[in-house]
């Protein structure tokens, strides 16, 4: 049985947030004043970030309990039932993880090791 073709999702890359010195991030894009958090550009970026976060959280809610495919940075492909994501520890919880070495009942995947994941809609 062949897998369905995954639906492509557009990626929007936003600049880094401001660091403590103010030399990078939003302040570099909003040059009106050194502390221009209320500038139109800053509000637009904040709105875009909020919309993307909401979209990502909705995606995670839809993925719960579904079979998913994970591609790791080292080229290994894994299959598992998606469980949950922990933003603070940067981990993805999965069940029935199928690896080249066998099946694991449940596992945590470090999000830094995952290049991409997909699941059928």
């Amino acid at each position: 049985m062949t897998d369905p073709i995954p639906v492509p999702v557009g990626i929007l890359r936003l600049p880094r947030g401001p660091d403590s010195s103010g030399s990078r991030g939003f302040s570099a894009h909003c040059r009106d004043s050194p502390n221009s958090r209320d500038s139109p550009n800053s509000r637009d970026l904040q709105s875009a970030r909020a919309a993307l976060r909401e979209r990502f959280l909705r995606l995670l809610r839809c993925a719960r309990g579904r079979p998913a495919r994970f591609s790791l940075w080292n080229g290994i492909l894994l299959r598992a039932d998606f469980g949950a994501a922990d933003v603070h520890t940067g981990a993805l919880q999965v069940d029935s993880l199928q690896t080249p070495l066998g099946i694991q009942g449940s596992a945590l995947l470090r999000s830094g090791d995952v290049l991409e994941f997909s699941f059928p809609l």
Side-chain angles (χ1 to χ4, degrees), residues 11-98:
I11 296 174
L12 174 63
R13 300 210 184 267
L14 296 175
R16 293 179 186 228
D19 63 2
S20 60
S21 69
S23 63
R24 298 173 72 179
F26 301 132
S27 61
H29 296 286
C30 306
R31 299 198 188 278
D32 300 335
S33 67
N35 190 6
S36 57
R37 285 199 176 260
D38 294 330
S39 71
N41 290 342
S42 178
R43 281 186 295 235
D44 291 344
L45 286 173
Q46 186 175 4
S47 296
R49 280 186 166 306
L52 288 172
R53 179 166 176 78
E54 180 181 358
R55 190 172 165 188
F56 179 70
L57 292 174
R58 288 177 190 261
L59 167 93
L60 292 178
R61 184 179 64 193
C62 290
R64 186 176 182 111
R66 293 184 182 229
R69 294 182 298 185
F70 296 87
S71 176
L72 305 183
W73 280 101
N74 59 5
I76 295 176
L77 299 175
L78 306 173
R79 293 181 183 275
D81 294 332
F82 188 86
D86 186 358
V87 177
H88 299 294
T89 60
L92 301 169
Q93 186 271 323
V94 296
D95 295 316
S96 303
L97 178 66
Q98 299 173 14

